[in-house]
Amino acid sequence: MTYEPVIGLEVHLHLKTQTKAFCGCSTEFGQEPNSQVCPVCLGFPGSLPVLNKTALDYGLKVALALNCQIQEYTKFDRKNYFYPDLPKNYQISQYDLPLSKNGFLEIALDGGKLKRIGIRRVHLEEDAGKLIHQEDSSLIDFNRAGIPLLEIVSEPGLNSPGEAHEYLTTLKSIIEYLYVSDCDMEKGSLRCDANISLRKTGQQDLGTKAELKNMNSFKAVKEALTFEIERQAELLNQKKTVVQETRSWDVKNLETVSMRTKEEAQDYRYFPEPDLPPFILSPDKITEIKKTIPELPRDKMLRFVKDYGLSDYDAKILVATLKDANFSEECIRLYSKNDKKPIVNWLIGPILYEANSRNCNLSDLGVAVKDLIGLVDFVERQEISYLAAKSVLSEMINIKDSPANIIQKKNLAQISDIKSLELQVGEVLKENPKSIQDYKAGKGNAIMFLVGQIMKKTGGKANPKVVQEILKRRLSNA
Ligand SMILES: [Zn+2]
């Protein structure tokens, strides 16, 4: 039997505000436990919440970027449940009148086709405290209690773990462009839960779903979904029922385990938060927020393709983060040739490699745009080899010097001088008679091996093009 997975994602984002959602406590990460608390976020009797305006603005910004309809009239509700990390015994959230509804996010499928995923709602709420479990006891830190959270709920419109991964990557990229959250899963500022059910291929009705929690990376989301598809398919094949429940991802054993049967909305006894008035969002307010939304990744990608002749693939890599996009665009604009391919190849090749291996953005490498362009020009004029240029780049990052100085200091200028190269070629041919035979027997690859030997002999300084020409001539005469 073949099944179609039906997946919906719930993403929780910490908004990057200075203070908490309903009080003036700091939101700074990593401070002394319970040092950022007050009567409001500790739920003392008689304390009153006041909504943080920046949290509301950030929430609206995300909702608009996700094409949601902003609700003119919105209110907060109490979601009641009892848990040690929840000092008030309720969480201020939004129930029937959320900030926004009915948006969508477009994700790129393999092959570049776009798929539109519905966004059911985007609403504001507050985070709970953090429990730290020890061997024989648990500790509680309330610094996190009251930090503004944005909940982004997708429709169950994703049909594979790969699509779920693409949705998360695309969403994260947009949020980073909006500059409203760190999106750091390790610090818990981006968290994701997933709903998943299976149905027979072609069937309309949804199957029974499980909710997956405690996935600490996008990779874990993908793995947990993959595991869950197999688990549910096995149950269905054996004609057993899938139980509606919440399951936790066990990262050690790579499996999901049952946590509890799923609560229904009525279990939370939602009712309107009496200490906060409803909010009316005027069209002027929405227009004002709209103006603060920058060009988003997808639009930027399309513009890079149109304006600079980049491929979709290259453009998508370069616009993944706003910092990289800005840095790349400056390099491409200032590169003087009409054909931007050489600078683009360096950006998505060696420069991105250096940034990835340092886990930083391109601009954080500390290399000036003009120096990068200078380096690419050296290669294009064939004054240094590609191999040598890569080592110059590493040196530029390490000692912050110009490419010209490094090339001179390290004596890396390319040998294009035919006379000296002829000598080197002669020696290498003498040392490798087998390769000459191979070449004559029709093995074209043998010539690349010989080029490699000469590059080695010259410490990467020989001009490979010239070497190849000499080799070809001498081998056909040999
Ligand atoms: Zn507080």
Side-chain angles (χ1 to χ4, degrees), residues 380-408:
E380 286 301 295
R381 290 195 303 263
Q382 302 198 10
E383 287 173 32
I384 57 172
S385 70
Y386 181 74
L387 214 65
K390 283 211 288 192
S391 76
V392 173
L393 175 66
S394 300
E395 199 69 2
M396 283 163 69
I397 296 163
N398 291 333
I399 63 165
K400 310 274 180 281
D401 203 351
S402 72
N405 285 347
I406 295 168
I407 291 165
Q408 199 192 13

Side-chain angles (χ1 to χ4, degrees), residues 379-448:
V379 183
E380 286 301 295
R381 290 195 303 263
Q382 302 198 10
E383 287 173 32
I384 57 172
S385 70
Y386 181 74
L387 214 65
K390 283 211 288 192
S391 76
V392 173
L393 175 66
S394 300
E395 199 69 2
M396 283 163 69
I397 296 163
N398 291 333
I399 63 165
K400 310 274 180 281
D401 203 351
S402 72
N405 285 347
I406 295 168
I407 291 165
Q408 199 192 13
K409 249 188 273 172
K410 299 199 131 196
N411 188 22
L412 286 170
Q414 187 154 263
I415 308 168
S416 296
D417 162 26
I418 307 238
K419 234 186 196 167
S420 88
L421 286 178
E422 287 275 5
L423 269 167
Q424 310 272 10
V425 170
E427 273 178 42
V428 166
L429 285 176
K430 221 181 273 170
E431 289 159 13
N432 296 283
K434 170 120 199 327
S435 298
I436 303 176
Q437 282 172 17
D438 287 350
Y439 183 79
K440 284 190 171 164
K443 286 187 192 157
N445 279 341
I447 200 163
M448 291 324 290

